[in-house]
Amino acid sequence: MAGIGPLSEEGLVRLLDHTGERVADEYFGPFAEHLTFDDLRGFWRDMIMTRAFDTEATSLQRQGELGLWVASLGQEAAQIGSGRALRDPDYAFPSYREHGVAFTRGIDMPSILRVFRGLEHSTWDPAAHNFHIYTLVIGAHTLHAVGYAQAMDWDGLVGSGDPDKDGAVICYFGDGATSQGDVNEAMVFAAVNNAPIVFFIQNNQFAISESVTRQSTVPLAQRAIGFGIPSVRVDGNDVVAVHAVTRWAMEHARSGAGPVVIEALTYRMGAHTTSDDPTRYRSSADEDYWRERDPIARVETYLRGLGELPEDFEEAVRADAKELGRVTREAVKSWQPGPTDTIFEHVYAEPHPLVDADRAWFAQYEASFTDKEVTR
């Protein structure tokens, strides 16, 4: 339930409340004025598709088809609203839960599961989608993101005034990552170098089982003040507000004005991962409170109330979502392990003697087994 400190609603930007009513905001409202009903139906469709994929992945893990799954249930608005605010020159650095952002960047969704089936480190070309590979080491990618942003600036891809050329980086991480040293170091580098980056914190209220109130006594966005970085808090279950705030922040960064921190207050409706049991550390009343603030339901209520969610459109989207589930299920069950030495590919852009040595040792190790299939 709504609380104090990092769980408070202090300063939250909101443009669509949980009852499906629009809310005025003098500053950020104009950043959503361009959105048409077609756009909002598109957001709703994106969130439905993301949730369908997420639900199927959870089911596959429960059937033993995946080693682990990290669900995004309940965080669809934070991801779709921000992902749809990005442009082609922008570059996104996800952690491991940004399936909705991946969808907006054109990633083949079933292929993501090859990572969680233990077949590959990544399955997409980051340069083709401007979407970095998933990073499971908490907060480590924030330093990579700042470095990439700095390079964009040095390459003259920021603040030129050419909208087809100027870009910025957006880096996603959770509330737990804000306690990591890497994240704080990244913010120091970004601030002093005026790097074109938006740090997007999805405050889903738990670092695995640890409440965010055990990590901070104030809203997480306030931490940015100490680094000299402007920040904003947004209702992370309001896709319209998230889109508006991210649009503002990315324009700020693309212009060369420096970094921004966004804290999107949301709620992880599922477990941290499929190895977690959230009933051990939170109440059913808490879950009911946030279920009433479901990010998909509020857009659905708003559009339906205005007669802008036609029945045939809704049926088509739900059919597409069902089809995505089928395609995902059949793909995962058809996959077979490939050569194990692919783990040594793409470590560096060019050949490296240490990687070559590791590859040779691994080949010798595998050859030491009589039945090589046992090693796979």
Side-chain angles (χ1 to χ4, degrees):
M1 300 182 188
I4 59 174
L7 297 181
S8 75
E9 296 198 355
E10 179 183 347
L12 278 188
V13 176
R14 180 176 290 135
L15 298 176
L16 183 66
D17 70 16
H18 74 282
T19 66
E21 295 292 327
R22 291 299 296 261
V23 179
D25 186 290
E26 185 177 353
Y27 187 81
F28 288 104
F31 288 91
E33 285 181 349
H34 66 290
L35 295 175
T36 64
F37 286 121
D38 276 342
D39 292 327
L40 296 179
R41 281 190 290 271
F43 288 170
W44 179 79
R45 181 184 186 279
D46 291 347
M47 291 192 288
I48 290 285
M49 296 296 285
T50 301
R51 184 167 293 186
F53 169 73
D54 193 24
T55 301
E56 187 63 44
T58 299
S59 176
L60 286 165
Q61 197 283 329
R62 296 306 188 203
Q63 296 169 41
E65 298 290 347
L66 303 177
L68 182 75
W69 179 240
V70 186
S72 59
L73 181 64
Q75 299 179 218
E76 294 88 352
Q79 299 186 12
I80 298 301
S82 58
R84 288 300 180 196
L86 305 184
R87 302 186 322 191
D88 288 344
D90 299 324
Y91 201 105
F93 280 76
S95 54
Y96 47 68
R97 202 189 297 277
E98 279 68 48
H99 319 310
V101 185
F103 186 76
T104 67
R105 302 304 281 180
I107 303 295
D108 176 64
M109 298 300 277
S111 74
I112 293 173
L113 301 184
R114 293 184 67 84
V115 177
F116 294 91
R117 195 173 165 91
L119 299 178
E120 297 182 54
H121 277 162
S122 179
T123 56
W124 61 88
D125 178 359
H129 299 275
N130 279 9
F131 186 74
H132 199 255
I133 63 173
Y134 278 7
T135 302
L136 274 68
V137 179
I138 303 299
H141 62 304
T142 56
L143 290 165
H144 311 155
V146 171
Y148 194 95
Q150 192 68 60
M152 288 179 73
D153 191 18
W154 289 340
D155 286 345
L157 301 175
V158 177
S160 73
D162 181 352
D164 294 328
K165 178 181 174 185
D166 290 342
V169 168
I170 186 167
C171 182
Y172 294 88
F173 50 93
D175 47 281
T178 63
S179 298
Q180 293 287 84
D182 283 357
V183 173
N184 289 270
E185 290 161 14
M187 290 190 182
V188 169
F189 274 102
V192 299
N193 290 294
N194 210 40
I197 183 169
V198 173
F199 296 103
F200 193 101
I201 306 168
Q202 289 183 83
N203 179 1
N204 69 16
Q205 309 191 21
F206 295 96
I208 307 182
S209 59
E210 192 78 335
S211 169
V212 68
T213 58
R214 300 276 294 172
Q215 301 179 62
S216 178
T217 57
V218 298
L220 299 177
Q222 288 188 22
R223 290 184 171 178
I225 297 172
F227 298 101
I229 300 176
S231 62
V232 59
R233 298 189 83 215
V234 62
D235 181 340
N237 284 14
D238 175 358
V239 70
V240 180
V242 171
H243 181 79
V245 164
T246 308
R247 189 164 172 246
W248 163 78
M250 293 300 288
E251 287 181 5
H252 178 95
R254 289 186 201 111
S255 73
V260 175
V261 170
I262 295 174
E263 178 194 356
L265 179 62
T266 179
Y267 187 76
R268 192 192 72 214
M269 292 172 68
H272 171 68
T273 69
T274 45
S275 64
D276 172 44
D277 177 8
T279 63
R280 296 174 65 88
Y281 54 83
R282 66 187 189 193
S283 68
S284 57
D286 205 27
E287 293 177 347
D288 290 343
Y289 176 87
W290 284 98
R291 195 172 292 113
E292 291 176 357
R293 284 149 182 78
D294 187 305
I296 296 178
R298 73 173 64 183
V299 178
E300 204 169 288
T301 301
Y302 174 65
L303 290 174
R304 192 167 285 145
L306 295 174
E308 292 291 345
L309 191 61
E311 195 171 315
D312 58 345
F313 176 82
E314 184 173 353
E315 288 177 356
V317 170
R318 296 200 184 281
D320 288 345
K322 187 176 180 180
E323 177 64 10
L324 176 59
R326 184 192 67 78
V327 170
T328 300
R329 186 166 55 253
E330 292 185 359
V332 169
K333 292 187 176 182
S334 71
W335 290 334
Q336 297 298 320
T340 52
D341 61 355
T342 57
I343 195 172
F344 298 103
E345 296 178 0
H346 308 298
V347 178
Y348 293 103
E350 298 178 353
H352 193 286
L354 289 179
V355 175
D356 292 342
D358 285 347
R359 183 187 289 109
W361 175 89
F362 186 71
Q364 187 178 26
Y365 172 77
E366 277 204 311
S368 69
F369 292 88
T370 303
D371 183 357
K372 291 185 178 180
E373 288 302 317
V374 174
T375 67
R376 301 187 174 191

